[in-house]
Amino acid sequence: MTVIRKLVSQRSAALAFAVVAGLVLLAVAAPLITWIAGSSPTAFHGDAVDPGLGGLPRGAAGGISARHWLGVEPVNGRDVLARVVYGAQVSLLIAVLATVLSVLLGTALGLVAGFFGGWVDTVIGRTMDLLLSFPSLIFMIALISAAPGTDRRLLLVVVLGFFGWPYVGRIVRGQAMVLARGEFVAAARVLGASRRALLVREVLPNLTGPVLVVATMSIPGYIATEAGLSFLGVGVQAPTPSWGQMIATAVPWYASDPAYFLIPGVFLFVTVLAFNVLGDAVRDALDPRSQRR
């Protein structure tokens, strides 16, 4: 409750939380929103574009109208609102699942390495160093491109989580090393607690704060990475909507139809910014020493 009060007391944190909550609600309610708007992310609306102008949307601001609240895409006339809200659903789902995977792997391996030390720490620590030394973006592109027949969303979750767990593991390992040498752990050991009990009951609960912070800070990074991979053409594939994919297809049209370029770009920017601000606020609330003076 103290952490929640600290978050609410900060205007920036409260605003960031409201934005994140709104985006999550937008993603969850995507089917309802598109039903109310009367469109879908894959439906073509040929009457909303002008073939005589090379497929530009009819009307001002990218074809914004009572029928298409955020306009339509050039050439095919797909509804931008429908693709934006479903793109939010895809981006948030991939980012959250990748965060869960990386946190689970990083916490488990980092906890074991930091608590036991010795050769266990050496093996896990060198594995972390090896993965951290990889140019992860290049390897992500190579791995995803090498598996074209799989579900790209599932593949993105696995690849992002695989390359992300060493960052979590490093933090957990360091914290576990300190906690394993704490007096409360020594007291529990003297009282006859097993290694499993020490790990689960003594050390792991004290890692909740750092793990929560790193998880919150990981989500915007995964959202941006997914958008970047989709922008490069190796992420989410059409007709499944993605903000990065929308920005990529909007690049040739930004001069003649800036709305189609700006709308997914603004959503991506606001989402990443809100999660970063919220992550900073969570870190400061859990660790007052990290607050900027």
Side-chain angles (χ1 to χ4, degrees), residues 115-204:
F115 183 82
F116 289 102
W119 67 268
V120 176
D121 182 34
T122 300
V123 172
I124 297 177
R126 296 298 79 78
T127 303
M128 292 180 191
D129 293 338
L130 179 64
L131 291 175
L132 289 171
S133 67
F134 282 177
S136 58
L137 182 59
I138 296 175
F139 276 84
M140 286 180 190
I141 294 173
L143 288 173
I144 295 172
S145 301
T150 59
D151 186 338
R152 286 294 177 90
R153 289 168 292 185
L154 177 61
L155 186 58
L156 281 167
V157 170
V158 174
V159 171
L160 291 173
F162 175 75
F163 282 102
W165 78 261
Y167 296 95
V168 182
R170 272 276 184 92
I171 295 172
V172 172
R173 173 182 171 271
Q175 293 292 324
M177 290 177 67
V178 175
L179 293 171
R181 292 161 177 77
E183 294 181 357
F184 65 98
V185 173
R189 185 180 287 113
V190 169
L191 292 173
S194 64
R195 287 185 171 183
R196 179 181 177 182
L198 292 174
L199 277 172
V200 176
R201 298 177 184 176
E202 304 296 337
V203 178
L204 185 58

Side-chain angles (χ1 to χ4, degrees), residues 31 40 42 63 73 85 102 116 125 133 172 179 199 214 257 266 268-269 279 282 290 293:
S40 74
T42 57
E73 293 183 351
V85 295
S102 64
F116 289 102
S133 67
V172 172
L179 293 171
L199 277 172
V214 74
D257 184 12
V266 168
L268 178 60
F269 170 77
V282 171
S290 66
R293 300 293 182 183

Side-chain angles (χ1 to χ4, degrees), residues 45 48-49 57 62-64 68 70-74 77-80 257 260:
H45 302 279
V49 297
I64 293 177
H68 302 289
L70 293 181
V72 296
E73 293 183 351
R78 289 185 295 197
D79 188 81
V80 172
D257 184 12
Y260 178 42

Side-chain angles (χ1 to χ4, degrees), residues 181-247:
R181 292 161 177 77
E183 294 181 357
F184 65 98
V185 173
R189 185 180 287 113
V190 169
L191 292 173
S194 64
R195 287 185 171 183
R196 179 181 177 182
L198 292 174
L199 277 172
V200 176
R201 298 177 184 176
E202 304 296 337
V203 178
L204 185 58
N206 288 283
L207 293 171
T208 303
V211 169
L212 179 60
V213 171
V214 74
T216 309
M217 299 294 289
S218 295
I219 292 176
Y222 289 136
I223 291 174
T225 303
E226 180 275 321
L229 291 171
S230 297
F231 179 86
L232 295 173
V234 296
V236 177
Q237 300 293 299
T240 305
S242 165
W243 292 341
Q245 177 197 116
M246 293 179 67
I247 294 172

